[in-house]
Amino acid sequence: MNDIKKYKLINAARNVRDNAYAPYSGFKVGAAVLAEDGNTFTGCNVENASYGLTVCAERNAISSLIASGNRFPVSIAIVAKEGTLCPPCGACRQVLMEFNPDLEIILESDKGIELFKLNEILPLSFSTKDLS
Ligand code: THU
């Protein structure tokens, strides 16, 4: 994916971040997932007075992709505070792993775009293969 497409995904994540519901942490997160058919799905974090029920931006974005009938995310961009990396939490890594271990993770820091592969940041993951 070229840099223009990466920035498109980052911008989609920035836009949805505005809608984050984060009255408890004040930490707004936006995520945009690109599906293999070229469509983009977004999500923001949604907190709850019962704190543990909070859902991260990444999981809301991937749920939206799945609900559309897509099954294969290619890339995900995640943004929180400008210029600061927001790596996905462990729970989100596991949920994303279900659909593509090679998922490209696009983060932005003050140095520019940083890229990671999901299987690099979640090694030795438990997955459907371990159930057989
Ligand atoms: N959060 C996300 O949405 N994604 C992440 O990758 C890290 C954390 C949210 C959860 C909570 O609403 C807030 O950020 C602070 O943890």
Side-chain angles (χ1 to χ4, degrees), residues 61-101:
I62 193 75
S63 295
S64 170
L65 178 148
I66 294 302
S68 78
N70 272 288
R71 289 292 182 268
F72 196 74
V74 175
S75 296
I76 183 169
I78 308 159
V79 295
K81 290 203 162 82
E82 283 304 313
T84 310
L85 283 190
C86 182
C89 79
C92 288
R93 291 177 198 202
Q94 177 68 28
V95 170
L96 294 170
M97 180 61 78
E98 181 76 16
F99 302 105
N100 181 7

PDB file of all heavy atoms in Angstrom, residues 61-101:
ATOM      1  N   ALA A  61     -14.165  -1.244  15.139  1.00  0.00           N
ATOM      2  CA  ALA A  61     -13.916  -1.156  13.688  1.00  0.00           C
ATOM      3  C   ALA A  61     -13.988  -2.547  13.043  1.00  0.00           C
ATOM      4  O   ALA A  61     -14.627  -2.716  11.993  1.00  0.00           O
ATOM      5  CB  ALA A  61     -12.559  -0.516  13.427  1.00  0.00           C
ATOM      6  N   ILE A  62     -13.366  -3.530  13.658  1.00  0.00           N
ATOM      7  CA  ILE A  62     -13.364  -4.876  13.045  1.00  0.00           C
ATOM      8  C   ILE A  62     -14.781  -5.471  13.086  1.00  0.00           C
ATOM      9  O   ILE A  62     -15.191  -6.173  12.153  1.00  0.00           O
ATOM     10  CB  ILE A  62     -12.319  -5.826  13.706  1.00  0.00           C
ATOM     11  CG1 ILE A  62     -12.101  -7.089  12.868  1.00  0.00           C
ATOM     12  CG2 ILE A  62     -12.674  -6.229  15.106  1.00  0.00           C
ATOM     13  CD1 ILE A  62     -11.295  -6.902  11.638  1.00  0.00           C
ATOM     14  N   SER A  63     -15.543  -5.147  14.122  1.00  0.00           N
ATOM     15  CA  SER A  63     -16.926  -5.643  14.183  1.00  0.00           C
ATOM     16  C   SER A  63     -17.745  -5.067  13.034  1.00  0.00           C
ATOM     17  O   SER A  63     -18.587  -5.770  12.451  1.00  0.00           O
ATOM     18  CB  SER A  63     -17.579  -5.272  15.512  1.00  0.00           C
ATOM     19  OG  SER A  63     -16.920  -5.935  16.555  1.00  0.00           O
ATOM     20  N   SER A  64     -17.496  -3.829  12.712  1.00  0.00           N
ATOM     21  CA  SER A  64     -18.216  -3.197  11.611  1.00  0.00           C
ATOM     22  C   SER A  64     -17.850  -3.867  10.281  1.00  0.00           C
ATOM     23  O   SER A  64     -18.720  -4.115   9.423  1.00  0.00           O
ATOM     24  CB  SER A  64     -17.875  -1.712  11.626  1.00  0.00           C
ATOM     25  OG  SER A  64     -18.337  -1.098  10.488  1.00  0.00           O
ATOM     26  N   LEU A  65     -16.569  -4.177  10.102  1.00  0.00           N
ATOM     27  CA  LEU A  65     -16.125  -4.885   8.883  1.00  0.00           C
ATOM     28  C   LEU A  65     -16.824  -6.246   8.783  1.00  0.00           C
ATOM     29  O   LEU A  65     -17.351  -6.610   7.725  1.00  0.00           O
ATOM     30  CB  LEU A  65     -14.594  -5.054   8.914  1.00  0.00           C
ATOM     31  CG  LEU A  65     -13.924  -5.806   7.759  1.00  0.00           C
ATOM     32  CD1 LEU A  65     -12.529  -5.235   7.499  1.00  0.00           C
ATOM     33  CD2 LEU A  65     -13.807  -7.295   8.033  1.00  0.00           C
ATOM     34  N   ILE A  66     -16.846  -6.961   9.877  1.00  0.00           N
ATOM     35  CA  ILE A  66     -17.469  -8.301   9.867  1.00  0.00           C
ATOM     36  C   ILE A  66     -18.972  -8.191   9.594  1.00  0.00           C
ATOM     37  O   ILE A  66     -19.540  -8.961   8.817  1.00  0.00           O
ATOM     38  CB  ILE A  66     -17.197  -9.025  11.207  1.00  0.00           C
ATOM     39  CG1 ILE A  66     -15.690  -9.320  11.355  1.00  0.00           C
ATOM     40  CG2 ILE A  66     -18.011 -10.321  11.316  1.00  0.00           C
ATOM     41  CD1 ILE A  66     -15.072 -10.158  10.263  1.00  0.00           C
ATOM     42  N   ALA A  67     -19.611  -7.202  10.202  1.00  0.00           N
ATOM     43  CA  ALA A  67     -21.059  -7.036  10.014  1.00  0.00           C
ATOM     44  C   ALA A  67     -21.404  -6.727   8.563  1.00  0.00           C
ATOM     45  O   ALA A  67     -22.516  -7.005   8.102  1.00  0.00           O
ATOM     46  CB  ALA A  67     -21.568  -5.927  10.931  1.00  0.00           C
ATOM     47  N   SER A  68     -20.460  -6.173   7.820  1.00  0.00           N
ATOM     48  CA  SER A  68     -20.713  -5.833   6.415  1.00  0.00           C
ATOM     49  C   SER A  68     -20.639  -7.067   5.509  1.00  0.00           C
ATOM     50  O   SER A  68     -20.962  -6.999   4.323  1.00  0.00           O
ATOM     51  CB  SER A  68     -19.682  -4.818   5.931  1.00  0.00           C
ATOM     52  OG  SER A  68     -18.443  -5.468   5.657  1.00  0.00           O
ATOM     53  N   GLY A  69     -20.169  -8.174   6.085  1.00  0.00           N
ATOM     54  CA  GLY A  69     -20.020  -9.399   5.279  1.00  0.00           C
ATOM     55  C   GLY A  69     -18.574  -9.669   4.901  1.00  0.00           C
ATOM     56  O   GLY A  69     -18.238 -10.750   4.444  1.00  0.00           O
ATOM     57  N   ASN A  70     -17.716  -8.675   5.089  1.00  0.00           N
ATOM     58  CA  ASN A  70     -16.288  -8.891   4.843  1.00  0.00           C
ATOM     59  C   ASN A  70     -15.725  -9.827   5.898  1.00  0.00           C
ATOM     60  O   ASN A  70     -16.227  -9.899   7.024  1.00  0.00           O
ATOM     61  CB  ASN A  70     -15.536  -7.561   4.910  1.00  0.00           C
ATOM     62  CG  ASN A  70     -15.498  -6.844   3.573  1.00  0.00           C
ATOM     63  OD1 ASN A  70     -14.798  -7.267   2.673  1.00  0.00           O
ATOM     64  ND2 ASN A  70     -16.278  -5.782   3.447  1.00  0.00           N
ATOM     65  N   ARG A  71     -14.640 -10.510   5.527  1.00  0.00           N
ATOM     66  CA  ARG A  71     -13.982 -11.397   6.496  1.00  0.00           C
ATOM     67  C   ARG A  71     -12.477 -11.186   6.522  1.00  0.00           C
ATOM     68  O   ARG A  71     -11.784 -11.838   7.288  1.00  0.00           O
ATOM     69  CB  ARG A  71     -14.263 -12.882   6.153  1.00  0.00           C
ATOM     70  CG  ARG A  71     -15.686 -13.321   6.412  1.00  0.00           C
ATOM     71  CD  ARG A  71     -15.985 -13.328   7.922  1.00  0.00           C
ATOM     72  NE  ARG A  71     -17.328 -13.777   8.216  1.00  0.00           N
ATOM     73  CZ  ARG A  71     -18.371 -12.961   8.343  1.00  0.00           C
ATOM     74  NH1 ARG A  71     -18.242 -11.660   8.185  1.00  0.00           N
ATOM     75  NH2 ARG A  71     -19.572 -13.438   8.639  1.00  0.00           N
ATOM     76  N   PHE A  72     -11.969 -10.290   5.662  1.00  0.00           N
ATOM     77  CA  PHE A  72     -10.517 -10.211   5.554  1.00  0.00           C
ATOM     78  C   PHE A  72      -9.994  -8.776   5.613  1.00  0.00           C
ATOM     79  O   PHE A  72      -9.947  -8.079   4.607  1.00  0.00           O
ATOM     80  CB  PHE A  72     -10.038 -10.912   4.281  1.00  0.00           C
ATOM     81  CG  PHE A  72      -8.562 -11.189   4.308  1.00  0.00           C
ATOM     82  CD1 PHE A  72      -8.036 -12.202   5.105  1.00  0.00           C
ATOM     83  CD2 PHE A  72      -7.686 -10.419   3.567  1.00  0.00           C
ATOM     84  CE1 PHE A  72      -6.668 -12.451   5.155  1.00  0.00           C
ATOM     85  CE2 PHE A  72      -6.310 -10.654   3.597  1.00  0.00           C
ATOM     86  CZ  PHE A  72      -5.807 -11.678   4.401  1.00  0.00           C
ATOM     87  N   PRO A  73      -9.582  -8.341   6.829  1.00  0.00           N
ATOM     88  CA  PRO A  73      -8.955  -7.030   6.947  1.00  0.00           C
ATOM     89  C   PRO A  73      -7.520  -7.086   6.446  1.00  0.00           C
ATOM     90  O   PRO A  73      -6.803  -8.060   6.694  1.00  0.00           O
ATOM     91  CB  PRO A  73      -8.989  -6.758   8.455  1.00  0.00           C
ATOM     92  CG  PRO A  73      -8.961  -8.110   9.084  1.00  0.00           C
ATOM     93  CD  PRO A  73      -9.660  -9.046   8.124  1.00  0.00           C
ATOM     94  N   VAL A  74      -7.119  -6.049   5.725  1.00  0.00           N
ATOM     95  CA  VAL A  74      -5.759  -5.995   5.163  1.00  0.00           C
ATOM     96  C   VAL A  74      -4.862  -5.094   6.014  1.00  0.00           C
ATOM     97  O   VAL A  74      -3.710  -5.436   6.282  1.00  0.00           O
ATOM     98  CB  VAL A  74      -5.816  -5.452   3.707  1.00  0.00           C
ATOM     99  CG1 VAL A  74      -4.420  -5.261   3.133  1.00  0.00           C
ATOM    100  CG2 VAL A  74      -6.641  -6.380   2.834  1.00  0.00           C
ATOM    101  N   SER A  75      -5.398  -3.948   6.413  1.00  0.00           N
ATOM    102  CA  SER A  75      -4.634  -2.965   7.194  1.00  0.00           C
ATOM    103  C   SER A  75      -5.546  -2.305   8.208  1.00  0.00           C
ATOM    104  O   SER A  75      -6.752  -2.160   7.967  1.00  0.00           O
ATOM    105  CB  SER A  75      -4.128  -1.828   6.302  1.00  0.00           C
ATOM    106  OG  SER A  75      -3.237  -2.287   5.367  1.00  0.00           O
ATOM    107  N   ILE A  76      -4.909  -1.857   9.290  1.00  0.00           N
ATOM    108  CA  ILE A  76      -5.667  -1.059  10.264  1.00  0.00           C
ATOM    109  C   ILE A  76      -4.808   0.131  10.685  1.00  0.00           C
ATOM    110  O   ILE A  76      -3.606  -0.021  10.940  1.00  0.00           O
ATOM    111  CB  ILE A  76      -6.112  -1.894  11.492  1.00  0.00           C
ATOM    112  CG1 ILE A  76      -6.962  -1.058  12.444  1.00  0.00           C
ATOM    113  CG2 ILE A  76      -4.916  -2.500  12.241  1.00  0.00           C
ATOM    114  CD1 ILE A  76      -7.666  -1.872  13.547  1.00  0.00           C
ATOM    115  N   ALA A  77      -5.421   1.305  10.706  1.00  0.00           N
ATOM    116  CA  ALA A  77      -4.746   2.506  11.226  1.00  0.00           C
ATOM    117  C   ALA A  77      -5.385   2.851  12.563  1.00  0.00           C
ATOM    118  O   ALA A  77      -6.610   2.774  12.715  1.00  0.00           O
ATOM    119  CB  ALA A  77      -4.899   3.670  10.250  1.00  0.00           C
ATOM    120  N   ILE A  78      -4.548   3.196  13.518  1.00  0.00           N
ATOM    121  CA  ILE A  78      -5.038   3.510  14.873  1.00  0.00           C
ATOM    122  C   ILE A  78      -4.429   4.844  15.299  1.00  0.00           C
ATOM    123  O   ILE A  78      -3.213   5.034  15.207  1.00  0.00           O
ATOM    124  CB  ILE A  78      -4.614   2.421  15.881  1.00  0.00           C
ATOM    125  CG1 ILE A  78      -5.013   1.030  15.387  1.00  0.00           C
ATOM    126  CG2 ILE A  78      -5.222   2.683  17.258  1.00  0.00           C
ATOM    127  CD1 ILE A  78      -4.233  -0.108  16.027  1.00  0.00           C
ATOM    128  N   VAL A  79      -5.285   5.752  15.759  1.00  0.00           N
ATOM    129  CA  VAL A  79      -4.771   7.042  16.241  1.00  0.00           C
ATOM    130  C   VAL A  79      -5.432   7.411  17.571  1.00  0.00           C
ATOM    131  O   VAL A  79      -6.619   7.174  17.781  1.00  0.00           O
ATOM    132  CB  VAL A  79      -5.003   8.190  15.227  1.00  0.00           C
ATOM    133  CG1 VAL A  79      -4.230   7.974  13.951  1.00  0.00           C
ATOM    134  CG2 VAL A  79      -6.459   8.388  14.933  1.00  0.00           C
ATOM    135  N   ALA A  80      -4.620   7.994  18.440  1.00  0.00           N
ATOM    136  CA  ALA A  80      -5.145   8.528  19.701  1.00  0.00           C
ATOM    137  C   ALA A  80      -4.618   9.950  19.821  1.00  0.00           C
ATOM    138  O   ALA A  80      -4.988  10.801  19.015  1.00  0.00           O
ATOM    139  CB  ALA A  80      -4.743   7.635  20.869  1.00  0.00           C
ATOM    140  N   LYS A  81      -3.702  10.176  20.761  1.00  0.00           N
ATOM    141  CA  LYS A  81      -3.128  11.531  20.879  1.00  0.00           C
ATOM    142  C   LYS A  81      -2.214  11.793  19.690  1.00  0.00           C
ATOM    143  O   LYS A  81      -1.393  10.947  19.332  1.00  0.00           O
ATOM    144  CB  LYS A  81      -2.324  11.639  22.175  1.00  0.00           C
ATOM    145  CG  LYS A  81      -3.209  11.627  23.403  1.00  0.00           C
ATOM    146  CD  LYS A  81      -2.486  12.292  24.588  1.00  0.00           C
ATOM    147  CE  LYS A  81      -3.467  12.694  25.672  1.00  0.00           C
ATOM    148  NZ  LYS A  81      -3.842  11.598  26.555  1.00  0.00           N
ATOM    149  N   GLU A  82      -2.333  12.981  19.103  1.00  0.00           N
ATOM    150  CA  GLU A  82      -1.512  13.320  17.927  1.00  0.00           C
ATOM    151  C   GLU A  82      -0.026  13.164  18.230  1.00  0.00           C
ATOM    152  O   GLU A  82       0.451  13.593  19.285  1.00  0.00           O
ATOM    153  CB  GLU A  82      -1.788  14.770  17.491  1.00  0.00           C
ATOM    154  CG  GLU A  82      -3.087  14.936  16.733  1.00  0.00           C
ATOM    155  CD  GLU A  82      -3.204  14.045  15.492  1.00  0.00           C
ATOM    156  OE1 GLU A  82      -2.251  13.985  14.704  1.00  0.00           O
ATOM    157  OE2 GLU A  82      -4.260  13.409  15.324  1.00  0.00           O
ATOM    158  N   GLY A  83       0.677  12.522  17.318  1.00  0.00           N
ATOM    159  CA  GLY A  83       2.125  12.394  17.454  1.00  0.00           C
ATOM    160  C   GLY A  83       2.588  11.340  18.444  1.00  0.00           C
ATOM    161  O   GLY A  83       3.765  11.215  18.728  1.00  0.00           O
ATOM    162  N   THR A  84       1.630  10.574  18.983  1.00  0.00           N
ATOM    163  CA  THR A  84       1.973   9.544  19.966  1.00  0.00           C
ATOM    164  C   THR A  84       1.474   8.196  19.475  1.00  0.00           C
ATOM    165  O   THR A  84       0.313   8.081  19.079  1.00  0.00           O
ATOM    166  CB  THR A  84       1.273   9.843  21.317  1.00  0.00           C
ATOM    167  OG1 THR A  84       1.535  11.187  21.665  1.00  0.00           O
ATOM    168  CG2 THR A  84       1.766   8.920  22.410  1.00  0.00           C
ATOM    169  N   LEU A  85       2.331   7.200  19.481  1.00  0.00           N
ATOM    170  CA  LEU A  85       1.904   5.858  19.043  1.00  0.00           C
ATOM    171  C   LEU A  85       0.789   5.345  19.938  1.00  0.00           C
ATOM    172  O   LEU A  85       0.855   5.509  21.152  1.00  0.00           O
ATOM    173  CB  LEU A  85       3.060   4.854  19.163  1.00  0.00           C
ATOM    174  CG  LEU A  85       4.180   4.838  18.139  1.00  0.00           C
ATOM    175  CD1 LEU A  85       5.025   3.598  18.365  1.00  0.00           C
ATOM    176  CD2 LEU A  85       3.649   4.853  16.722  1.00  0.00           C
ATOM    177  N   CYS A  86      -0.197   4.687  19.334  1.00  0.00           N
ATOM    178  CA  CYS A  86      -1.222   4.006  20.142  1.00  0.00           C
ATOM    179  C   CYS A  86      -1.265   2.556  19.699  1.00  0.00           C
ATOM    180  O   CYS A  86      -2.069   2.182  18.831  1.00  0.00           O
ATOM    181  CB  CYS A  86      -2.584   4.672  19.992  1.00  0.00           C
ATOM    182  SG  CYS A  86      -3.841   3.876  21.028  1.00  0.00           S
ATOM    183  N   PRO A  87      -0.388   1.715  20.232  1.00  0.00           N
ATOM    184  CA  PRO A  87      -0.404   0.304  19.850  1.00  0.00           C
ATOM    185  C   PRO A  87      -1.677  -0.373  20.367  1.00  0.00           C
ATOM    186  O   PRO A  87      -2.168  -0.001  21.440  1.00  0.00           O
ATOM    187  CB  PRO A  87       0.836  -0.289  20.539  1.00  0.00           C
ATOM    188  CG  PRO A  87       1.423   0.772  21.387  1.00  0.00           C
ATOM    189  CD  PRO A  87       0.582   2.015  21.291  1.00  0.00           C
ATOM    190  N   PRO A  88      -2.226  -1.318  19.619  1.00  0.00           N
ATOM    191  CA  PRO A  88      -3.458  -1.978  20.069  1.00  0.00           C
ATOM    192  C   PRO A  88      -3.233  -2.777  21.355  1.00  0.00           C
ATOM    193  O   PRO A  88      -2.171  -3.368  21.539  1.00  0.00           O
ATOM    194  CB  PRO A  88      -3.817  -2.912  18.911  1.00  0.00           C
ATOM    195  CG  PRO A  88      -2.556  -3.087  18.129  1.00  0.00           C
ATOM    196  CD  PRO A  88      -1.743  -1.846  18.336  1.00  0.00           C
ATOM    197  N   CYS A  89      -4.220  -2.793  22.219  1.00  0.00           N
ATOM    198  CA  CYS A  89      -4.100  -3.537  23.477  1.00  0.00           C
ATOM    199  C   CYS A  89      -4.098  -5.041  23.185  1.00  0.00           C
ATOM    200  O   CYS A  89      -4.415  -5.487  22.076  1.00  0.00           O
ATOM    201  CB  CYS A  89      -5.238  -3.167  24.431  1.00  0.00           C
ATOM    202  SG  CYS A  89      -6.802  -3.965  24.057  1.00  0.00           S
ATOM    203  N   GLY A  90      -3.771  -5.824  24.190  1.00  0.00           N
ATOM    204  CA  GLY A  90      -3.670  -7.271  24.016  1.00  0.00           C
ATOM    205  C   GLY A  90      -4.980  -7.907  23.569  1.00  0.00           C
ATOM    206  O   GLY A  90      -4.995  -8.799  22.714  1.00  0.00           O
ATOM    207  N   ALA A  91      -6.095  -7.446  24.143  1.00  0.00           N
ATOM    208  CA  ALA A  91      -7.394  -8.017  23.773  1.00  0.00           C
ATOM    209  C   ALA A  91      -7.682  -7.757  22.298  1.00  0.00           C
ATOM    210  O   ALA A  91      -8.145  -8.640  21.565  1.00  0.00           O
ATOM    211  CB  ALA A  91      -8.490  -7.421  24.654  1.00  0.00           C
ATOM    212  N   CYS A  92      -7.377  -6.546  21.840  1.00  0.00           N
ATOM    213  CA  CYS A  92      -7.636  -6.216  20.431  1.00  0.00           C
ATOM    214  C   CYS A  92      -6.707  -7.004  19.511  1.00  0.00           C
ATOM    215  O   CYS A  92      -7.125  -7.440  18.433  1.00  0.00           O
ATOM    216  CB  CYS A  92      -7.486  -4.719  20.194  1.00  0.00           C
ATOM    217  SG  CYS A  92      -8.844  -3.788  20.915  1.00  0.00           S
ATOM    218  N   ARG A  93      -5.463  -7.203  19.918  1.00  0.00           N
ATOM    219  CA  ARG A  93      -4.551  -8.015  19.084  1.00  0.00           C
ATOM    220  C   ARG A  93      -5.141  -9.398  18.872  1.00  0.00           C
ATOM    221  O   ARG A  93      -5.132  -9.940  17.771  1.00  0.00           O
ATOM    222  CB  ARG A  93      -3.172  -8.135  19.761  1.00  0.00           C
ATOM    223  CG  ARG A  93      -2.443  -6.821  19.779  1.00  0.00           C
ATOM    224  CD  ARG A  93      -1.107  -6.899  20.508  1.00  0.00           C
ATOM    225  NE  ARG A  93      -0.716  -5.531  20.843  1.00  0.00           N
ATOM    226  CZ  ARG A  93       0.505  -5.111  21.099  1.00  0.00           C
ATOM    227  NH1 ARG A  93       1.507  -5.972  21.087  1.00  0.00           N
ATOM    228  NH2 ARG A  93       0.752  -3.856  21.384  1.00  0.00           N
ATOM    229  N   GLN A  94      -5.654  -9.982  19.939  1.00  0.00           N
ATOM    230  CA  GLN A  94      -6.234 -11.327  19.844  1.00  0.00           C
ATOM    231  C   GLN A  94      -7.455 -11.333  18.920  1.00  0.00           C
ATOM    232  O   GLN A  94      -7.622 -12.234  18.097  1.00  0.00           O
ATOM    233  CB  GLN A  94      -6.610 -11.820  21.246  1.00  0.00           C
ATOM    234  CG  GLN A  94      -7.285 -13.180  21.282  1.00  0.00           C
ATOM    235  CD  GLN A  94      -6.352 -14.322  20.884  1.00  0.00           C
ATOM    236  OE1 GLN A  94      -5.133 -14.235  21.062  1.00  0.00           O
ATOM    237  NE2 GLN A  94      -6.916 -15.386  20.336  1.00  0.00           N
ATOM    238  N   VAL A  95      -8.306 -10.331  19.046  1.00  0.00           N
ATOM    239  CA  VAL A  95      -9.517 -10.275  18.211  1.00  0.00           C
ATOM    240  C   VAL A  95      -9.140 -10.076  16.738  1.00  0.00           C
ATOM    241  O   VAL A  95      -9.695 -10.733  15.843  1.00  0.00           O
ATOM    242  CB  VAL A  95     -10.467  -9.159  18.714  1.00  0.00           C
ATOM    243  CG1 VAL A  95     -11.608  -8.932  17.726  1.00  0.00           C
ATOM    244  CG2 VAL A  95     -11.023  -9.524  20.080  1.00  0.00           C
ATOM    245  N   LEU A  96      -8.170  -9.219  16.482  1.00  0.00           N
ATOM    246  CA  LEU A  96      -7.742  -8.980  15.098  1.00  0.00           C
ATOM    247  C   LEU A  96      -7.099 -10.235  14.512  1.00  0.00           C
ATOM    248  O   LEU A  96      -7.274 -10.549  13.325  1.00  0.00           O
ATOM    249  CB  LEU A  96      -6.761  -7.806  15.046  1.00  0.00           C
ATOM    250  CG  LEU A  96      -7.344  -6.430  15.432  1.00  0.00           C
ATOM    251  CD1 LEU A  96      -6.219  -5.406  15.590  1.00  0.00           C
ATOM    252  CD2 LEU A  96      -8.358  -5.947  14.398  1.00  0.00           C
ATOM    253  N   MET A  97      -6.355 -10.963  15.331  1.00  0.00           N
ATOM    254  CA  MET A  97      -5.633 -12.166  14.900  1.00  0.00           C
ATOM    255  C   MET A  97      -6.576 -13.204  14.282  1.00  0.00           C
ATOM    256  O   MET A  97      -6.204 -13.961  13.397  1.00  0.00           O
ATOM    257  CB  MET A  97      -4.915 -12.757  16.126  1.00  0.00           C
ATOM    258  CG  MET A  97      -4.112 -13.998  15.896  1.00  0.00           C
ATOM    259  SD  MET A  97      -2.778 -13.775  14.723  1.00  0.00           S
ATOM    260  CE  MET A  97      -1.546 -12.929  15.699  1.00  0.00           C
ATOM    261  N   GLU A  98      -7.804 -13.224  14.770  1.00  0.00           N
ATOM    262  CA  GLU A  98      -8.812 -14.169  14.271  1.00  0.00           C
ATOM    263  C   GLU A  98      -8.973 -14.059  12.752  1.00  0.00           C
ATOM    264  O   GLU A  98      -9.265 -15.037  12.080  1.00  0.00           O
ATOM    265  CB  GLU A  98     -10.145 -13.863  14.975  1.00  0.00           C
ATOM    266  CG  GLU A  98     -11.300 -14.757  14.601  1.00  0.00           C
ATOM    267  CD  GLU A  98     -11.201 -16.128  15.267  1.00  0.00           C
ATOM    268  OE1 GLU A  98     -10.437 -16.297  16.230  1.00  0.00           O
ATOM    269  OE2 GLU A  98     -11.908 -17.039  14.790  1.00  0.00           O
ATOM    270  N   PHE A  99      -8.794 -12.863  12.227  1.00  0.00           N
ATOM    271  CA  PHE A  99      -9.144 -12.623  10.820  1.00  0.00           C
ATOM    272  C   PHE A  99      -7.958 -12.467   9.881  1.00  0.00           C
ATOM    273  O   PHE A  99      -8.121 -12.689   8.682  1.00  0.00           O
ATOM    274  CB  PHE A  99     -10.084 -11.408  10.732  1.00  0.00           C
ATOM    275  CG  PHE A  99     -11.324 -11.615  11.554  1.00  0.00           C
ATOM    276  CD1 PHE A  99     -11.496 -10.973  12.771  1.00  0.00           C
ATOM    277  CD2 PHE A  99     -12.291 -12.514  11.124  1.00  0.00           C
ATOM    278  CE1 PHE A  99     -12.623 -11.207  13.550  1.00  0.00           C
ATOM    279  CE2 PHE A  99     -13.422 -12.754  11.890  1.00  0.00           C
ATOM    280  CZ  PHE A  99     -13.590 -12.106  13.108  1.00  0.00           C
ATOM    281  N   ASN A 100      -6.805 -12.067  10.403  1.00  0.00           N
ATOM    282  CA  ASN A 100      -5.619 -11.988   9.546  1.00  0.00           C
ATOM    283  C   ASN A 100      -4.333 -11.832  10.372  1.00  0.00           C
ATOM    284  O   ASN A 100      -4.015 -10.721  10.804  1.00  0.00           O
ATOM    285  CB  ASN A 100      -5.742 -10.819   8.553  1.00  0.00           C
ATOM    286  CG  ASN A 100      -4.540 -10.738   7.636  1.00  0.00           C
ATOM    287  OD1 ASN A 100      -3.676 -11.614   7.650  1.00  0.00           O
ATOM    288  ND2 ASN A 100      -4.478  -9.675   6.848  1.00  0.00           N
ATOM    289  N   PRO A 101      -3.587 -12.915  10.533  1.00  0.00           N
ATOM    290  CA  PRO A 101      -2.340 -12.834  11.306  1.00  0.00           C
ATOM    291  C   PRO A 101      -1.315 -11.884  10.673  1.00  0.00           C
ATOM    292  O   PRO A 101      -0.431 -11.388  11.358  1.00  0.00           O
ATOM    293  CB  PRO A 101      -1.805 -14.272  11.290  1.00  0.00           C
ATOM    294  CG  PRO A 101      -2.940 -15.116  10.836  1.00  0.00           C
ATOM    295  CD  PRO A 101      -3.879 -14.262  10.052  1.00  0.00           C
TER     296      PRO A 101
END
